[in-house]
């Protein structure tokens, strides 16, 4: 079994502008970006072995022992640096559910964990072993700040930190790791000083590089002036489309505005969802989004408030093989979702058309233009601007390809992996991760807006069932 090197997981020490934005907007519930994972285990693992597994992971993946240092002024991005006072017992804890130990009790606990902020002075993750579930099972709650990793990076982390066998030593981390290196201490003042020195040292090179790029662009423009102008116009029009809010009003039924987290989960077969998408000429992602829209259509119809469209947000991964493990490489798209389309096959086609078109947008990576500016604003202003950008959608939905084989945690088999995404500005965040042939769907919603949990869960089941029926 090939070992994985976790030393590079998380990317460079200095945050990207997008990561800095998420970090600096964390103080407000409207813009909080931390997510969580809820795992169901077939049994409660041995506590000492459980602790040892986490200790080994934090040594093999140093980012898990790093804290964040903010500069004196926000003109410099925050930096990850070793927490010399790292305390594993703070980050890894266990509790026991009162009887009867139901899934609902576990989800309510996970909602509380996800909604509270992480300690900004410590490494940005927490793990809780939850014992006392019915049928002898256990739960595992893992919370990680979004500034540390996006969804695909989290799957990489899970693949390293979990074992492929029940026996000890079945994961792909090295059996022994060297002691953490002693790098110079990073302070708020040193961050600014280092950046100033970098600017002086890199100034001539940056100037020459900028001049070279400018001459290259000028040369292409002279060789093909019409083509250059056309590309510039296309990019400008694409940027306008990406920045314009979706032309759909928010649903009156989904305007709760509360900050509470309520969770629910659902399972479907990956093969069946893939077959349903294929039957309608779409992908598994198209079938997933069409199912979510079908659930919200039913929920609105139940209350006699049908809507034809909902404003929806969809994160789109920009990650490729050259990107470091962990970190964040994604953009966002906003979608006038055809929630009122009753035909699931037609709904899949409408979703597919949007996804294909948005992936072809020249300005799809538009956040790379905005975040370097936004991340340097004072935190109160940054939070307000971010809240304004995110509050235009009712629902956000994400689909993350996960692990295709069973894994174990300290000897306990993982039965399900439910992702719990944050819901900045939206009434409901719906996230799907595939695991060992099962699509595990986690929904984080505002209980002040979606007030009937049983009804919503029924609508969610029916929304997926009508799409799955396309393959039958």
């Amino acid at each position: 079994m090939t070992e994985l090197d976790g030393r590079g997981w998380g990317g460079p020490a200095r945050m990207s502008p997008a990561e800095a934005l998420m970090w600096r907007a964390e103080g407000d519930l409207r813009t909080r970006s931390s997510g969580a994972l809820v795992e169901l285990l077939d049994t409660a693992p041995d506590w000492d072995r459980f602790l040892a597994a986490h200790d080994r992971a934090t040594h093999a993946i140093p980012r898990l022992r790093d804290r964040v240092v903010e500069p004196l002024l926000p003109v410099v991005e925050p930096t990850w640096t070793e927490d010399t006072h790292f305390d594993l017992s703070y980050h890894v804890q266990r509790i026991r559910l009162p009887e009867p130990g139901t899934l609902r009790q576990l989800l309510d606990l996970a909602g509380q964990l996800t909604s509270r902020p992480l300690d900004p002075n410590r490494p940005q993750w927490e793990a809780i072993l939850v014992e006392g579930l019915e049928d002898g099972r256990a739960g595992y709650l893992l919370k990680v700040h979004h500034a540390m990793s996006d969804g695909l990076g989290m799957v990489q982390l899970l693949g390293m930190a979990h074992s492929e066998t029940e026996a000890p030593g079945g994961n792909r981390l090295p059996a022994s790791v060297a002691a953490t290196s002693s790098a110079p201490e990073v302070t708020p003042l040193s961050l600014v000083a280092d950046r100033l020195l970098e600017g002086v040292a890199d100034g001539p090179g940056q100037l020459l590089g900028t001049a070279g790029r400018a001459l290259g662009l000028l040369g292409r423009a002279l060789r093909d002036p019409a083509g250059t102008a056309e590309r510039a116009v296309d990019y400008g029009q694409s940027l306008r489309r990406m920045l314009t809010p979706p032309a759909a009003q928010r649903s009156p039924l989904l305007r709760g505005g509360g900050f509470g987290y309520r969770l629910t989960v659902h399972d479907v077969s990956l093969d069946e969802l893939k077959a349903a998408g294929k039957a309608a000429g779409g992908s598994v992602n198209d079938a997933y989004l069409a199912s979510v829209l079908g659930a919200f259509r039913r929920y609105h119809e139940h209350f006699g408030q049908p809507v034809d469209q909902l404003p929806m947000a969809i994160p789109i991964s920009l990650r490729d093989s050259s990107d470091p493990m962990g970190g964040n490489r994604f953009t966002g798209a906003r979608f006038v979702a055809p929630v009122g389309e009753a035909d699931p096959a037609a709904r899949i086609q409408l979703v597919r058309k949007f996804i294909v078109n948005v992936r072809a947008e020249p300005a799809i990576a538009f956040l790379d233009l905005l975040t370097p500016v936004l991340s340097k604003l004072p935190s109160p202003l940054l939070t307000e601007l971010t809240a304004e950008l995110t509050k235009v959608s009712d629902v956000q939905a994400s689909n993350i390809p996960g692990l295709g084989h069973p894994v174990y945690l300290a000897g306990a088999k993982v039965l399900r992996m439910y992702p719990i995404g944050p819901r900045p500005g939206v009434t409901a965040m719906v996230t799907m991760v595939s695991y060992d042939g099962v699509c595990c769907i986690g929904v984080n919603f505002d209980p002040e807006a979606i007030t009937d949990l049983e009804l919503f869960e029924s609508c969610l089941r029916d929304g997926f069932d009508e799409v799955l029926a396309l393959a039958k």
Side-chain angles (χ1 to χ4, degrees), residues 10 51 66 94 99 113 188 194 200 250 254 333 410 425:
L51 276 179
D66 285 349
R94 65 173 169 174
E99 293 184 355
L113 170 72
D194 290 346
V200 172
R250 294 197 65 169
L254 300 181

Side-chain angles (χ1 to χ4, degrees), residues 167-389:
N171 63 19
R172 300 173 67 189
L173 294 175
S176 60
V177 291
T180 307
S181 62
S182 55
E185 182 182 7
V186 177
T187 67
L189 181 59
S190 71
L191 279 180
V192 178
D194 290 346
R195 177 56 64 88
L196 290 175
L197 290 174
E198 287 176 10
V200 172
D202 296 340
Q206 290 179 348
L207 181 61
L208 290 173
T210 301
R213 288 191 294 273
L215 289 173
L217 291 172
L218 178 61
R220 286 194 292 273
L222 292 173
R223 290 192 300 271
D224 184 15
T228 300
E230 183 178 356
R231 286 190 294 272
V233 170
D234 287 346
Y235 187 88
Q237 292 175 340
S238 174
L239 184 61
R240 181 179 180 182
R241 287 191 296 270
M242 297 297 292
L243 292 175
T244 300
Q249 296 295 319
R250 294 197 65 169
S251 164
L253 193 60
L254 300 181
R255 290 184 181 177
F259 297 131
Y261 284 13
R262 193 83 193 271
L263 311 181
T264 189
V265 296
H266 185 60
D267 302 337
V268 295
S269 162
L270 175 60
D271 287 342
E272 290 182 14
L273 192 61
K274 188 181 298 183
K278 184 177 180 180
S283 66
V284 64
N285 184 63
D286 303 327
Y288 159 63
L289 294 176
S291 301
V292 172
L293 295 180
F296 280 97
R297 175 175 64 84
R298 284 173 161 76
Y299 191 78
H300 281 77
E301 289 176 347
H302 175 86
F303 288 100
Q305 298 188 48
V307 292
D308 290 330
Q309 299 173 333
L310 279 182
M312 188 178 202
I314 304 172
I316 297 175
S317 177
L318 300 177
R319 190 178 291 270
D320 60 36
S321 58
S322 65
D323 290 314
M325 296 180 71
N328 288 270
R329 284 290 293 141
F330 70 95
T331 188
R334 294 179 289 191
F335 179 30
V336 180
V339 69
E341 175 55 67
D343 181 354
R347 203 158 60 241
I348 286 175
Q349 280 299 308
L350 291 171
V351 169
R352 180 163 188 77
K353 180 179 179 181
F354 169 78
I355 296 295
V356 169
N357 287 342
V358 77
R359 286 191 174 278
E361 287 282 6
I364 188 172
F366 73 99
L367 287 177
D368 292 344
L369 297 176
L370 296 181
T371 52
V373 177
L374 292 177
S375 65
K376 293 177 174 59
L377 295 174
S379 291
L381 178 57
L382 168 64
T383 298
E384 291 301 321
L385 288 175
T386 305
E388 287 296 316
L389 290 172

Side-chain angles (χ1 to χ4, degrees), residues 88-103:
L88 185 68
S89 66
Y90 175 87
H91 294 274
V92 184
Q93 301 177 16
R94 65 173 169 174
I95 65 173
R96 188 173 188 86
L97 287 177
E99 293 184 355
T102 62
L103 176 60

